[in-house]
Amino acid sequence: KAGVTQTPRYLIKTRGQQVTLSCSPISGHRSVSWYQQTPGQGLQFLFEYFSETQRNKGNFPGRFSGRQFSNSRSEMNVSTLELGDSALYLCASSLVIWGEGTEAFFGQGTRLTVV
Amino acid sequence: QQQVKQSPQSLIVQKGGISIINCAYENTAFDYFPWYQQFPGKGPALLIAIRPDVSEKKEGRFTISFNKSAKQFSLHIMDSQPGDSATYFCAASGLEDDKIIFGKGTRLHILP
């Protein structure tokens, strides 16, 4: 069974640009959550999608957005990149909504560097 | 209300020793407490999880102790091995707000 696939693995962008990250969940999983991981702040929740609907959103500015497609694949977009957006972006997939105690599986992440 | 406080930030333990990582939460609506283990270059992986209806859960060398009245839970790694060297995250979630909130992580290093 294939795991969670995130593409690309590494990305270097310039301030002011925008970026789109992709996450393919485990087959059959309908929930995808996105997290930003930085050394100082740990894992910060961005948003969760379930059956193409955003279920929950963290405290990030509107420059961070996401969507989920009918095949459960998800994308997140960051517009007008800032240096502080440099981080590891992780997505996690679960069978149902993660907060209901079901196990979630993380991808390896996309390392975004903003210069 | 939504925070999960984790300590220590880093921990060094001799091989064969016991590693202990502590977490505290504030939101009494939390009812699911997982621990995740992350190796460099990898995403976090679920290690063990507990619900508040039990005070302890053991899986191999890993044990979660849960104190509902104190709103604290901890991870104990018995007979710690160099392969256990990783970053550990505690987390919490509840049905009323179903996102998972993570602690800031503990970097564990086991000396050979």
Side-chain angles (χ1 to χ4, degrees):
Chain A
K1 196 174 189 182
V4 179
T5 304
Q6 289 188 248
T7 56
R9 287 292 312 279
Y10 303 93
L11 209 47
I12 299 175
K13 289 286 188 179
T14 304
R15 262 184 307 174
Q17 285 187 312
Q18 76 161 19
V19 67
T20 299
L21 312 181
S22 178
C23 173
S24 293
I26 291 171
S27 177
H29 283 196
R30 295 164 63 194
S31 174
V32 173
S33 299
W34 287 90
Y35 284 81
Q36 182 194 65
Q37 185 175 19
T38 56
Q41 296 300 316
L43 285 154
Q44 304 241 284
F45 174 76
L46 280 155
F47 22 66
E48 179 181 21
Y49 287 88
F50 180 77
S51 293
E52 301 179 69
T53 301
Q54 187 180 84
R55 289 266 314 171
N56 225 323
K57 191 175 191 306
N59 296 325
F60 278 82
R63 300 186 295 108
F64 291 80
S65 63
R67 57 179 176 168
Q68 187 179 33
F69 302 96
S70 58
N71 62 357
S72 293
R73 190 177 71 85
S74 177
E75 288 182 346
M76 68 163 279
N77 184 277
V78 188
S79 62
T80 319
L81 283 165
E82 300 176 359
L83 295 178
D85 297 333
S86 296
L88 180 68
Y89 290 88
L90 291 159
C91 88
S93 84
S94 56
L95 208 53
V96 293
I97 296 166
W98 193 2
E100 294 179 356
T102 183
E103 182 174 357
F105 299 84
F106 280 90
Q108 288 191 290
T110 293
R111 172 74 63 186
L112 172 64
T113 303
V114 183
V115 297
Chain B
Q1 265 280 333
Q2 289 289 67
Q3 274 191 319
V4 176
K5 294 181 180 178
Q6 184 172 347
S7 62
Q9 270 190 313
S10 62
L11 183 61
I12 299 174
V13 175
Q14 290 281 352
K15 179 182 173 182
I18 302 173
S19 304
I20 301 174
I21 304 171
N22 300 299
C23 284
Y25 64 98
E26 297 169 355
N27 188 344
T28 54
F30 286 150
D31 64 356
Y32 175 64
F33 303 90
W35 284 88
Y36 280 79
Q37 179 188 55
Q38 185 179 28
F39 293 105
K42 303 286 187 183
L46 179 67
L47 192 60
I48 187 173
I50 197 168
R51 291 200 178 271
D53 51 346
V54 296
S55 60
E56 186 174 281
K57 183 173 180 180
K58 186 175 180 179
E59 287 184 5
R61 297 184 293 108
F62 300 90
T63 300
I64 300 179
S65 297
F66 187 83
N67 186 329
K68 189 174 180 178
S69 60
K71 291 186 282 186
Q72 294 174 347
F73 57 111
S74 59
L75 176 69
H76 295 234
I77 306 174
M78 313 300 287
D79 186 27
S80 299
Q81 299 297 310
D84 296 331
S85 297
T87 299
Y88 292 81
F89 293 93
C90 63
S93 73
L95 278 178
E96 70 171 32
D97 183 6
D98 51 35
K99 60 178 181 277
I100 301 267
I101 305 297
F102 283 87
K104 292 198 174 182
T106 296
R107 185 171 287 186
L108 174 65
H109 182 64
I110 307 300
L111 296 172

